[in-house]
Amino acid sequence: MSVAGKTAIITGSTSGIGLGIAEEMAKAGVNVVLNSFTDSDEDHALAARIGKDHGVAARYIKADMSKAEDCRALIDQAGACDILVNNAGIQHVAGIEEFPTEKWDAIIAINLCSAFHTTAAALPMMRKAGWGRVINVASAHGLTASPYKSAYVAAKHGVVGLTKVTALETAQEPITANAICPGYVLTPLVEAQIPDTMKEYDMSREDVIKNVMLQRQPSKEFATVEQLGGTALYLCSDAAAQVTGTTISVDGGWTAL
Ligand code: NAD
């Protein structure tokens, strides 16, 4: 069965991986709902551009993924949700003792709790439609840890756990739930970490990329948003109908170490 004509809601999709997944989905004929917490002309223009480029219905819905009611309202407002991509995420890097409580709370809310709320709201629509795909964008940090990323690592491990439970609760239905675990992808989220890391290690940008970020990525290359879009599309294909409750690493070998 083709995914063309299905509707995908991708949280946090005005930049980076979410936008890449939305773009690849639209290319395959999927109608897409873009989301972020802003409501600018650019947000709506981005959706209009994707719709026009790929001949699909594309719209933008504002919803703050740190708020439970916004997460559920996003799904309700979209009106249909065959494919749910829980992608919104933020990062903060600090040791546990210095980690600001409000950053911990925001990371857990946006990176983990939002996926629970959107999934709870989307499953009844998938059940009614008789088909569904839940795709959670976790991370290599959903499977392994790094220092100074306590909230992020905790949230991403939580996302992997939530994925497994979602898969078990839908196992006898034509619905699957899986987590994609990217290694480093050069998106605005990663770009923003470079200056602090340069300061912390007293290194050049090139050295931070090669010796810190890609130090644990054996391929020594960033994964790309197009590759992640392709992985999400694979999870929507018939070939992946029995792939559920698992993680797919797109990390250049990081978690093989
Ligand atoms: P990004 O910063 O480029 O994009 C994040 C998106 O989330 C943006 O559209 C932003 O507007 C949106 N967002 C942030 N806060 C939000 C909120 N409260 N409500 C709604 N939307 C919100 O980041 P990215 O690198 O593309 O990351 C996307 C996902 O991929 C995140 O979950 C991240 O943890 C995960 N990830 C990224 C990498 C990487 O190397 N970039 C690696 C592994 C996992």
Side-chain angles (χ1 to χ4, degrees):
M1 190 182 48
S2 157
V3 285
K6 303 273 188 207
T7 297
I9 302 176
I10 305 112
T11 70
S13 43
T14 53
S15 83
I17 294 170
L19 180 56
I21 292 176
E23 199 89 53
E24 293 301 309
M25 292 260 170
K27 234 185 253 176
V30 175
N31 299 317
V32 292
V33 175
L34 304 189
N35 153 262
S36 185
F37 58 93
T38 51
D39 200 14
S40 66
D41 289 347
E42 291 83 55
D43 294 329
H44 294 275
L46 180 62
R49 199 269 298 154
I50 289 178
K52 191 161 165 269
D53 279 1
H54 305 294
V56 296
R59 61 191 171 124
Y60 175 85
I61 300 178
K62 174 197 171 181
D64 183 344
M65 291 296 107
S66 69
K67 299 187 175 122
E69 60 279 13
D70 276 31
C71 295
R72 289 170 188 265
L74 167 66
I75 309 297
D76 289 346
Q77 241 178 288
C81 183
D82 304 305
I83 301 163
L84 171 64
V85 183
N86 286 306
N87 168 78
I90 57 166
Q91 174 65 286
H92 185 78
V93 179
I96 290 176
E97 291 143 285
E98 296 83 42
F99 212 93
T101 302
E102 64 279 9
K103 291 282 184 197
W104 169 277
D105 289 345
I107 290 174
I108 299 296
I110 296 168
N111 297 23
L112 173 59
C113 300
S114 69
F116 161 72
H117 297 299
T118 55
T119 301
L123 282 180
M125 289 183 185
M126 293 179 181
R127 290 193 160 119
K128 205 166 161 210
W131 189 90
R133 295 287 180 264
V134 179
I135 300 171
N136 294 325
V137 179
S139 167
H141 282 118
L143 303 168
T144 180
S146 296
Y148 314 117
K149 295 186 176 178
S150 54
Y152 189 83
V153 169
K156 294 299 186 181
H157 276 68
V159 166
V160 170
L162 173 66
T163 305
K164 292 178 183 177
V165 175
T166 309
L168 292 179
E169 291 188 12
T170 56
Q172 295 186 10
E173 300 168 77
I175 296 171
T176 67
N178 293 287
I180 299 178
C181 294
Y184 272 107
V185 187
L186 194 55
T187 64
L189 180 142
V190 166
E191 196 59 64
Q193 293 173 49
I194 295 177
D196 281 354
T197 318
M198 283 169 67
K199 252 188 259 158
E200 196 177 323
Y201 291 94
D202 193 21
M203 278 182 179
S204 67
R205 179 185 162 85
E206 291 63 35
D207 284 345
V208 163
I209 290 176
K210 200 166 141 231
N211 300 324
V212 180
M213 294 187 154
L214 298 182
Q215 188 238 337
R216 291 168 75 185
Q217 203 146 309
S219 65
K220 299 296 170 202
E221 282 182 32
F222 286 109
T224 68
V225 300
E226 291 80 10
Q227 290 161 357
L228 294 164
T231 306
L233 276 176
Y234 160 69
L235 288 171
C236 294
S237 72
D238 288 343
Q242 284 298 313
V243 177
T244 195
T246 195
T247 56
I248 299 191
S249 292
V250 184
D251 66 3
W254 177 337
T255 45
L257 282 174

